[in-house]
Amino acid sequence: IGTPPNAIALKYLTGADAVSFAEWMAFAVPFVVVLLAFAWILVGVLYPAGDEEVNLEIKGRFLKNPKAYLVYGTFAGTIILWLTDFLHGLNAYTVALIPVGVFLAFGVITKEELRYISWDVLWLVAGGIALGLALDKTGLAQHLMESIAFDSVPAVTVILAMGVMAALMANFMSNTATANLILPLVAVLGTTLPGLVELGGTRLVVLSTTFACSMGMALPISTPPNALAFGTGLLETKDLAKPGLIVTVVGLMLNFLLMFILKSVNFF
């Protein structure tokens, strides 16, 4: 649920390659913590703060009424169901619909408020998934992969190349669009290239490429948070490019290290 490429990746991680919500968090959270700490230190070095402290006035209060308690309980219940999918068998998509149904049924949110959801983003993700399924079902994805002589290239080189290509594309277009374009192809590659199958197959190459898709952050167009920050008028493109490129490179290195660790513990 963290970013659209993750949701897109789940469509190709099925059957024996399926990754549960808890499993994903087990390796993704440490990865995020390490990369976030590095990015925090990097930004502090490149752009040291001029003030020693910042005073914030947050206007809000902890509500204590029936609807508020309903939200608290539903929130906790949803998280628990996500983390225990191996017990009840409900996938993340089904669990995600529970708070929608509960909040609508009890009037916590209304049909008017549903209009504020970024439906264009949801349709973009859904359209990309449909495109990927079409490429798979028609055999076009497999044909594209077979037209390139991947057999003559070491499997490790293919994984590295796919990761670098995904990160590069994600810097010049949205990470969601990048995932929509590249994941259907690498999913087929993971089942057709013998060397990749031995290393970890579809699960390895899809996870590695998905993480690489989220490494695009050097330009305002790379990801929505960059666009929002750039829209404040306080930043220039070069302000994002310098730390963004460094984080992209370090993130890719951590990504490949994570895949190596997961392979070492027989996750693949």
Side-chain angles (χ1 to χ4, degrees), residues 77-79 81-82 85 88 90-100:
T78 301
I79 298 299
L81 288 174
W82 266 329
D85 53 357
H88 50 70
L90 295 176
N91 60 38
Y93 311 111
T94 303
V95 174
L97 286 175
I98 294 176
V100 177

Side-chain angles (χ1 to χ4, degrees), residues 201-241:
T202 300
R203 179 184 276 194
L204 169 61
V205 70
V206 167
L207 283 176
S208 176
T209 306
T210 299
F211 277 38
C213 286
S214 294
M215 293 299 104
M217 58 189 74
L219 299 173
I221 62 172
S222 301
T223 183
N226 282 21
L228 291 173
F230 185 77
T232 62
L234 301 174
L235 299 175
E236 297 181 7
T237 301
K238 63 179 182 179
D239 297 325
L240 291 172

Side-chain angles (χ1 to χ4, degrees), residues 33-82:
V33 170
V34 172
L35 189 58
L36 180 62
F38 171 79
W40 182 278
I41 295 172
L42 176 65
V43 172
V45 172
L46 294 178
Y47 307 108
D51 299 322
E52 294 184 358
E53 62 180 26
V54 176
N55 296 318
L56 297 177
E57 292 185 9
I58 301 176
K59 297 180 180 179
R61 57 194 179 90
F62 186 79
L63 299 179
K64 297 180 180 179
N65 56 54
K67 284 188 177 180
Y69 286 123
L70 177 67
V71 172
Y72 305 149
T74 304
F75 175 80
T78 301
I79 298 299
I80 292 173
L81 288 174
W82 266 329

